Structures are given as C-alpha cells and as structure tokens.
Amino acid sequence: MLYDIELPDFLEKIKGLLLSVLNIDDLGFELAMDTKLISGLGTNNLALSSIDYVDFLVCIENEYNIVFDFNVRIYTVRDIYDYIIAYKTQERSEMNE
C-alpha cells in the first residue's frame, strides 16, 4: 500500500512551515505544487536563501519523520511531496518484510 497525503492538507502544512521558517505572516502568492523553493522565473518562486532552505527541509524532516538524502535535489513543493511519499512507501515496505 502506498503512503498518501491529501494535497490540500499537505499544502497547508508546507505553507505553515514556510511562514514559520521565514518569520512572516503571508507568502504573497498562492503556494502550489510547482512553487520553486530556491530560484526560478515567475511569481510562484520562494527564492529561499540557502540557510532558509536547509531550515525548511529540517522542519519537514521533523514534521513527517523522514530524513532527506541531500544527494536528491529538491527544487519544488512537488519534489517534497514526491520525496515524502517515496520515503514513507519504502519505510512501510521494509517494515512488512
């Protein structure tokens, strides 16, 4: 069985973590799966500093009880979602062996 996270809940949780890390009240745009974390063109771009990026990933690790492989590139919110799903699915698979 695959691990599943409801997208609206996921986006709300990610938004809350971002607001906390950045110490702001509003992102200024609607967070979406294609929102870029570090750099990119367009208005749907967080442009996190390297320190904020690492702090954000640590918050996600704590929230979802995962560990990021820093050899895996995480560029967008979708990348985070996909990584969590893959991590949790593998974790469940290993538990059932």
Side-chain angles (χ1 to χ4, degrees):
M1 178 180 181
L2 290 175
Y3 184 82
D4 191 29
I5 305 171
E6 296 292 324
L7 281 180
D9 296 338
F10 173 75
L11 287 172
E12 194 62 33
K13 179 67 70 180
I14 294 299
K15 180 180 177 181
L17 293 173
L18 281 166
L19 293 174
S20 176
V21 166
L22 298 173
N23 198 27
I24 58 174
D25 295 326
D26 184 37
L27 293 177
F29 61 90
E30 186 74 25
L31 187 70
M33 295 299 278
D34 65 342
T35 299
K36 293 168 189 65
L37 302 174
I38 297 178
S39 63
L41 300 174
T43 58
N44 202 12
N45 175 19
L46 290 165
L48 296 175
S49 71
S50 58
I51 292 171
D52 288 340
Y53 175 77
V54 171
D55 285 347
F56 177 55
L57 292 183
V58 169
C59 286
I60 292 168
E61 286 180 332
N62 293 334
E63 181 66 33
Y64 289 96
N65 197 27
I66 64 169
V67 176
F68 277 105
D69 175 353
F70 282 99
N71 292 318
V72 174
R73 299 295 178 231
I74 305 292
Y75 296 112
T76 66
V77 172
R78 177 170 299 286
D79 293 339
I80 295 168
Y81 180 84
D82 291 345
Y83 189 92
I84 294 169
I85 297 294
Y87 187 97
K88 291 296 191 176
T89 299
Q90 180 180 350
E91 186 177 67
R92 280 189 179 177
S93 175
E94 290 172 359
M95 287 175 50
N96 291 331
E97 289 180 353

